[in-house]
Amino acid sequence: MLHIIDDEDVIRDALSWLARSRQTAAVGYSSAEQFLTALEQPLRFDADGDCVLLDVRMPGLSGIQLFDLLSERHLVKRLPVIFLTGHGDVPMAVDSLKKGAFDFFEKPFNDNKLMDRVQEALAQSRAAGVTAQVHERLATLSAREKEVLDLILLGKMNKVIADELGISMRTVEVHRAHIFDKMQVKTAVELAGILK
């Protein structure tokens, strides 16, 4: 989902049209405050990724201030920010990029270049979402399951794992089944693939 935050209706409409021309869903916000209100609802990230197109200068909360809030909440990996401005300068752009902004475009901008960067930001957001899901699943494992997981990843067989941990082979099999279930995989190869 492309989140367009700009105080000018014509810019929001043009960017929404441009996004739809690339089969990307878009929603517009006329202010940073309006976006923050929407963000306070139960936060649901889009499976196709999320990206924020953010105007630097707006009445009320500026784009830079909103970006700083997103950074403080550690959301810029899942919500990569591309700044759009007609008032940018090189130091502002460099500072924003150093703080983790995905990119910085000056108006007027090249439509194709902007949308190419949006697609790259959406891909980064999707990857960050997959990583977050894997970490959430790992957090559901018990301490013993984590020990078994580490030995599975080393390629050890159930009997060897049982001997090393001083438990029965049947217990290892139960732990292995729970690990595969919680991590939503069917094989040790698939498990290693999502944890690399």
Side-chain angles (χ1 to χ4, degrees):
M1 172 77 67
L2 181 59
H3 304 272
I4 304 163
I5 308 165
D6 197 301
D7 59 327
E8 295 183 49
D9 294 340
V10 69
I11 299 289
R12 285 194 316 275
D13 292 345
L15 290 169
S16 293
W17 178 85
L18 193 58
R20 285 191 302 276
S21 75
R22 292 274 191 115
Q23 286 77 45
T24 301
V27 61
Y29 306 90
S30 60
S31 68
E33 292 85 358
Q34 187 183 26
F35 176 73
L36 283 174
T37 300
L39 199 61
E40 295 303 325
Q41 304 307 314
L43 186 56
R44 291 186 186 96
F45 292 106
D46 194 304
D48 291 329
D50 289 279
C51 175
V52 176
L53 287 181
L54 182 56
D55 189 15
V56 171
R57 289 191 183 172
M58 293 180 288
L61 198 63
S62 75
I64 299 292
Q65 290 169 319
L66 175 59
F67 175 72
D68 289 342
L69 287 172
L70 294 175
S71 294
E72 288 169 14
R73 295 180 186 182
H74 306 287
L75 291 174
V76 293
K77 288 287 185 199
R78 292 296 301 271
L79 288 168
V81 173
I82 298 174
F83 280 106
L84 301 174
T85 184
H87 309 284
D89 57 27
V90 173
M92 181 191 299
V94 170
D95 188 50
S96 298
L97 294 171
K98 281 183 180 177
K99 289 181 178 178
F102 193 81
D103 212 332
F104 196 98
F105 280 80
E106 283 192 87
K107 299 174 187 173
F109 46 82
N110 177 295
D111 294 353
N112 288 325
K113 286 182 182 176
L114 174 63
M115 289 313 295
D116 288 347
R117 288 300 282 162
V118 165
Q119 296 304 318
E120 291 168 19
L122 291 170
Q124 174 187 296
S125 176
R126 283 191 299 275
V130 168
T131 301
Q133 287 175 348
V134 168
H135 287 294
E136 288 170 11
R137 292 176 198 158
L138 280 171
T140 67
L141 298 179
S142 69
R144 179 60 90 179
E145 289 168 345
K146 288 177 183 174
E147 290 176 330
V148 172
L149 171 67
D150 290 340
L151 296 172
I152 291 171
L153 293 174
L154 291 174
K156 299 195 176 191
M157 303 302 288
N158 287 353
K159 182 171 180 14
V160 175
I161 294 171
D163 290 343
E164 284 192 27
L165 296 178
I167 57 178
S168 73
M169 198 162 96
R170 177 67 187 135
T171 302
V172 172
E173 291 168 355
V174 169
H175 285 312
R176 180 186 283 261
H178 287 160
I179 292 165
F180 284 18
D181 185 49
K182 289 178 181 179
M183 296 303 294
Q184 300 177 11
V185 297
K186 295 191 182 343
T187 66
V189 172
E190 193 179 347
L191 181 64
I194 67 167
L195 293 175
K196 66 179 175 181

